[in-house]
Amino acid sequence: MNTRHLLSLLDLARDEAYAILRRAAELKQLRQQGIRPLLFERKVLAMIFEKSSTRTRVSFESAMIEGGGGAVFLSLSDSQLGRGEPIQDTARVLSEMCDAIMARTYAHTTVESLAAHSSVPVINGLTDRSHPCQVLADIQTYMEFRGDIAHARVAWVGDGNNMCNTYIEAAQLFGFQLVISSPRDYAATIDKSLLTNATINIEEDPVKAVAGADLVVTDVWVSMGQEHDTDTRRSALRPYQVNTALLQLANPDVLFMHCLPAHRGEEVTSEVMDRSNGVVWAEAGNRLHAQKALLEFLLRE
Ligand code: CP
Ligand code: NVA
């Protein structure tokens, strides 16, 4: 059996990604009409969290409950993972009892090991390398407000972190123009070969990077696991704050997105958050719909 996993956005073909996004929009509309199809009746999702979460946990758990199934939350502190049971053995055991596994881990190799030893789909719920579920929801949100993202110009402003890496993958997958603006020492950590793609450019100066942008995206300056480096990061990234003055240099109808949680006054001002036209809240809410569509796709495959 060839089990499909979602460790990276590039595990999807472009037509599969678009099909998932269309389905996500359809499921959102149905839910707004009070219809919650039983997509996951008697199905169980195991959720492993090495790191904290609000949106990822609630959206996956809600997706399973609304679809007629359930989700089991496992953290390091109250599962045998925290006492040294190997991830490979955990993958085999969870495959016996659950229909899919979602994991949020530090090392990306941990979700790769899970997938290598699991006979059920494994979903990356954020690693130090990438966050594909969030960017699926981001693309759904862009399409909801503006239509196809393929012809858009997207500016990533800030730390070259797991979200930035995933935008690089998204630019490959959907074909949009991506400009990445980060301080040199905080550049994207992803495989640099992806940066050879013609649609992706680096522009260290945030003022130049946002010119003509249809979408400006940022994320925290201190990701989970980087807390020891907080002061250095804050001072290096300060010129990359997304504020009203910077956004005014983008297209007049520019959208602003942030995966959240936001640190108001650091990577983004309160004013930008509060005047985002509800986009950041739709972006968070779309995690539910995009992940329902993703789970449906992976469980069907
Ligand atoms: N954006 C996101 O993944 O949020 P959580 O860390 O709350 O899950
Ligand atoms: N880059 C952030 C995203 C949080 C959803 C982190 O990894 O902490």
Side-chain angles (χ1 to χ4, degrees):
M1 190 180 66
N2 218 355
T3 305
R4 293 286 299 265
H5 305 289
L6 196 279
L7 305 188
S8 150
L9 274 184
L10 297 175
D11 289 336
L12 298 172
R14 185 177 291 188
D15 62 331
E16 291 174 332
Y18 272 114
I20 289 169
L21 292 169
R22 278 194 302 273
R23 178 67 170 150
E26 183 182 42
L27 288 169
K28 179 169 186 169
Q29 269 187 352
L30 286 173
R31 192 175 186 275
Q32 283 165 346
Q33 293 158 22
I35 302 166
R36 300 179 183 190
L38 293 176
L39 306 171
F40 312 122
E41 215 168 1
R42 293 190 294 275
K43 296 256 180 0
V44 177
L45 174 72
M47 306 192 298
I48 297 172
F49 282 95
E50 289 182 354
K51 299 172 173 174
S52 307
S53 170
T54 298
R55 281 144 286 269
T56 303
R57 179 177 177 180
V58 174
S59 54
F60 270 106
E61 196 160 336
S62 300
M64 292 307 297
I65 294 170
E66 289 188 12
V72 179
F73 173 80
L74 295 158
S75 73
L76 293 195
S77 61
D78 54 16
S79 72
Q80 298 291 5
L81 274 168
R83 298 181 62 250
E85 183 166 17
I87 199 74
Q88 296 86 338
D89 293 359
T90 306
R92 292 191 181 100
V93 171
L94 294 178
S95 297
E96 294 287 327
M97 304 180 192
C98 302
D99 299 283
I101 302 169
M102 186 278 296
R104 167 168 286 195
T105 64
Y106 287 94
H108 190 75
T109 49
T110 307
V111 291
E112 288 175 338
S113 296
L114 263 176
H117 296 89
S118 167
S119 58
V120 300
V122 172
I123 300 170
N124 172 358
L126 181 149
T127 66
D128 287 348
R129 180 191 158 106
S130 63
H131 196 5
C133 293
Q134 178 67 55
V135 177
L136 262 187
D138 286 20
I139 307 293
Q140 180 191 343
T141 311
Y142 187 89
M143 289 170 67
E144 185 179 315
F145 281 81
R146 294 284 183 267
D148 193 3
I149 196 163
H151 308 294
R153 183 179 165 93
V154 179
W156 175 272
V157 179
D159 188 23
N161 62 12
N162 44 9
M163 279 294 296
C164 177
N165 288 337
T166 317
Y167 264 88
I168 293 171
E169 293 173 344
Q172 302 272 310
L173 185 60
F174 295 97
F176 58 80
Q177 290 282 331
L178 176 66
V179 186
I180 302 168
S181 191
S182 310
R184 199 161 300 163
D185 291 343
Y186 296 90
T189 53
I190 205 165
D191 181 356
K192 293 287 183 289
S193 66
L194 288 178
L195 295 177
T196 58
N197 188 292
T199 66
I200 302 171
N201 297 294
I202 310 281
E203 172 49 72
E204 229 173 293
D205 180 353
V207 167
K208 290 185 186 152
V210 300
D214 303 300
L215 169 63
V216 171
V217 195
T218 193
D219 185 17
V220 291
W221 291 340
V222 184
S223 285
M224 291 179 278
Q226 299 175 332
E227 291 79 3
H228 57 278
D229 202 20
T230 298
D231 291 344
T232 324
R233 291 181 150 274
R234 278 189 186 143
S235 71
L237 283 149
R238 203 165 306 286
Y240 293 81
Q241 181 187 70
V242 179
N243 50 39
T244 303
L246 186 71
L247 269 190
Q248 271 166 354
L249 304 172
N251 274 349
D253 63 348
V254 65
L255 296 183
F256 168 74
M257 289 193 202
H258 189 311
C259 66
L260 306 180
H263 289 206
R264 291 166 183 246
E266 288 190 24
E267 75 277 3
V268 61
T269 56
S270 269
E271 190 178 30
V272 168
M273 284 292 289
D274 295 334
R275 293 196 184 161
S276 83
N277 232 347
V279 174
V280 288
W281 313 123
E283 178 189 3
N286 282 339
R287 295 289 302 275
L288 175 68
H289 316 294
Q291 287 160 198
K292 276 185 183 173
L294 173 67
L295 283 162
E296 186 183 39
F297 170 80
L298 292 173
L299 289 170
R300 190 176 52 223
E301 292 278 308

